[in-house]
């Protein structure tokens, strides 16, 4: 039994300055409420408008649901710690938070890849779109995304549970992420780091390469369209998705695709806030403000609520 199994961890949070705790609490509770309400609204709009019952919006509604769960794994505990003196999290609580964080973040990643495949088929093979992206296949893609992500999370947490923590139990982060927890271990983490990096490459790079391949094919197809209006129409259907991909993967790659020796507490906390809090909050705005179908669905939902 590891010495860590009977001890709590201390989460330092975003700032150790006592004067910053209440302002940070105010900022993050607003961001969390906006995230939850915005993503719930996206789900309600898609569910209430039959014209949005398409593969793209099926994946978008599931992305919104995952984003609500994803932020709920991290932000409520973070908010409690802003107002708490101890800022403690149990060893088991830490591993549970790590498990759901990894599982939901990876599911987000695979859903973004599924949305890229949807755009690829819609633009490059429109005549066979209904056959290729039929509802059973979309459901299988969703189940596959969840299964791979949860197996990855289980493997990572089992690996972390084998480590011992005998010295400091202070995690220099606002939640139990892999890198800051690995930093605390008094076990030899070199093999764990290699396994984590290799397995992370396999699980996270696969959907990213899928997105890259999809957009390379889309660009080649769109460039063959003779009219400028046709090109713009084709590209405009991908704009929202590309913006979310850039926000999500930009910060994920910055944080995770470096060795532990290059880990920087302050820079990584800022980058982690980007994809754990800012991106889930921005998704509803990105998809509703730049999307005619979503705007129409929002108006329809508003009219239904007012009638």
């Amino acid at each position: 039994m590891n010495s860590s199994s009977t001890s709590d961890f201390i989460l330092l949070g975003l700032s150790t300055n006592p004067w910053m705790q209440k302002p940070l609490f105010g900022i993050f509770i607003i961001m969390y409420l906006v995230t939850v309400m915005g993503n719930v609204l996206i789900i309600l709009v898609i569910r209430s408008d039959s014209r949005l019952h398409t593969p793209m919006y099926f994946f978008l509604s599931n992305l919104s649901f995952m984003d609500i769960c994803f932020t709920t794994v991290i932000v409520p505990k973070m908010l409690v710690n802003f107002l708490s003196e101890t800022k403690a999290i149990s060893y088991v609580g830490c591993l549970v938070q790590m498990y759901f964080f990894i599982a939901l973040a990876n599911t987000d990643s695979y859903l973004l890849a599924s949305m890229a495949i949807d755009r690829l088929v819609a633009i490059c093979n429109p005549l066979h779109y209904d056959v290729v992206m039929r509802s059973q296949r979309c459901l299988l893609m969703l189940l596959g995304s969840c299964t791979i992500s949860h197996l990855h999370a289980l493997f990572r947490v089992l690996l972390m549970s084998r480590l011992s923590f005998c010295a400091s139990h202070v995690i220099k982060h606002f939640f139990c992420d892999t890198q800051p927890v690995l930093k605390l271990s008094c076990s030899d983490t070199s093999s764990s780091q290699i396994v984590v990096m290799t397995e992370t490459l396999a699980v996270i790079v696969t959907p990213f390469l899928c997105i890259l391949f999809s957009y390379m094919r889309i660009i080649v197809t769109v460039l063959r369209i003779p009219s400028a209006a046709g090109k713009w129409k084709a590209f405009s259907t991908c704009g929202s998705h590309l913006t979310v991909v850039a926000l999500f993967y930009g910060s994920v790659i910055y944080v995770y695709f470096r060795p532990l020796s290059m880990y920087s507490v302050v820079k990584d906390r800022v980058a982690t806030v980007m994809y754990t809090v800012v991106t889930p909050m921005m998704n509803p705005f990105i998809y509703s403000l730049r999307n005619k179908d979503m705007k129409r669905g929002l108006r329809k939902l508003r009219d239904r609520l007012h009638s």
Side-chain angles (χ1 to χ4, degrees):
M1 196 177 194
N2 292 340
S3 60
S4 55
S5 59
T6 56
S7 302
D8 289 350
F9 288 113
I10 306 296
L11 290 166
L12 275 192
L14 283 173
S15 172
T16 53
N17 185 339
W19 300 104
M20 288 296 293
Q21 302 307 304
K22 285 182 180 175
L24 284 170
F25 175 86
I27 292 165
F28 279 91
I29 196 167
I30 290 167
M31 290 173 81
Y32 178 62
L33 291 172
V34 169
T35 302
V36 172
M37 289 188 291
N39 283 291
V40 164
L41 190 60
I42 290 281
I43 295 165
L44 289 174
V45 167
I46 292 168
R47 290 280 184 272
S48 65
D49 191 343
S50 59
R51 284 178 291 187
L52 297 178
H53 294 176
T54 64
M56 184 65 177
Y57 293 106
F58 168 76
F59 291 124
L60 177 57
S61 64
N62 281 287
L63 182 71
S64 289
F65 177 71
M66 293 301 164
D67 281 345
I68 293 166
C69 298
F70 183 47
T71 50
T72 301
V73 166
I74 295 165
V75 179
K77 179 62 182 169
M78 186 181 172
L79 293 171
V80 168
N81 284 352
F82 281 137
L83 304 179
S84 168
E85 291 293 319
T86 58
K87 305 185 189 300
I89 186 168
S90 69
Y91 173 71
V92 172
C94 188
L95 289 182
V96 168
Q97 188 184 53
M98 190 184 291
Y99 172 84
F100 283 106
F101 161 71
I102 294 166
L104 293 165
N106 285 337
T107 305
D108 259 17
S109 180
Y110 277 93
L111 283 172
L112 288 171
S114 300
M115 291 165 86
I117 292 167
D118 175 82
R119 292 298 83 208
L120 170 70
V121 178
I123 293 169
C124 302
N125 199 2
L127 297 176
H128 296 99
Y129 179 78
D130 291 336
V131 176
V132 176
M133 298 302 294
R134 59 184 183 272
S135 56
Q136 297 97 319
R137 186 164 290 169
C138 292
L139 190 59
L140 276 174
M141 287 166 79
L142 173 64
L143 291 173
S145 301
C146 293
T147 305
I148 293 167
S149 301
H150 280 271
L151 286 173
H152 169 61
L154 182 63
F155 175 75
R156 180 78 70 86
V157 168
L158 287 173
L159 197 69
M160 298 299 286
S161 69
R162 294 166 62 101
L163 301 176
S164 294
F165 303 91
C166 11
S168 173
H169 283 230
V170 178
I171 299 171
K172 295 177 180 178
H173 214 325
F174 56 88
F175 74 102
C176 290
D177 199 2
T178 313
Q179 300 284 54
V181 174
L182 268 177
K183 277 258 187 185
L184 297 183
S185 177
C186 52
S187 308
D188 177 18
T189 61
S190 55
S191 57
S192 295
Q193 283 182 58
I194 292 164
V195 172
V196 165
M197 283 290 282
T198 308
E199 198 241 355
T200 300
L201 278 168
V203 174
I204 295 179
V205 171
T206 302
F208 184 61
L209 288 177
C210 180
I211 293 166
L212 279 181
F213 171 76
S214 297
Y215 276 104
M216 282 165 64
R217 285 281 310 275
I218 287 167
I219 288 164
V220 168
T221 303
V222 170
L223 290 175
R224 289 178 184 154
I225 297 171
S227 70
K231 284 177 181 160
W232 172 249
K233 188 180 178 182
F235 269 132
S236 66
T237 65
C238 306
S240 301
H241 181 253
L242 270 174
T243 308
V244 173
V245 166
L247 274 172
F248 182 82
Y249 274 104
S251 47
V252 165
I253 289 167
Y254 176 80
V255 173
Y256 294 106
F257 290 92
R258 291 176 301 153
L260 201 59
S261 57
M262 290 177 67
Y263 177 77
S264 157
V265 175
V266 177
K267 287 180 183 176
D268 283 34
R269 277 190 296 210
V270 171
T272 308
V273 166
M274 278 300 295
Y275 75 89
T276 57
V277 184
V278 177
T279 304
M281 183 183 72
M282 293 303 296
N283 283 359
F285 296 103
I286 292 166
Y287 277 103
S288 57
L289 295 176
R290 299 185 60 179
N291 188 307
K292 287 178 185 176
D293 294 333
M294 284 301 298
K295 284 180 183 175
R296 188 190 63 228
L298 279 165
R299 284 194 296 270
K300 191 175 176 181
L301 182 65
R302 185 193 62 200
D303 294 343
R304 186 178 291 181
L305 291 171
H306 282 217
S307 60

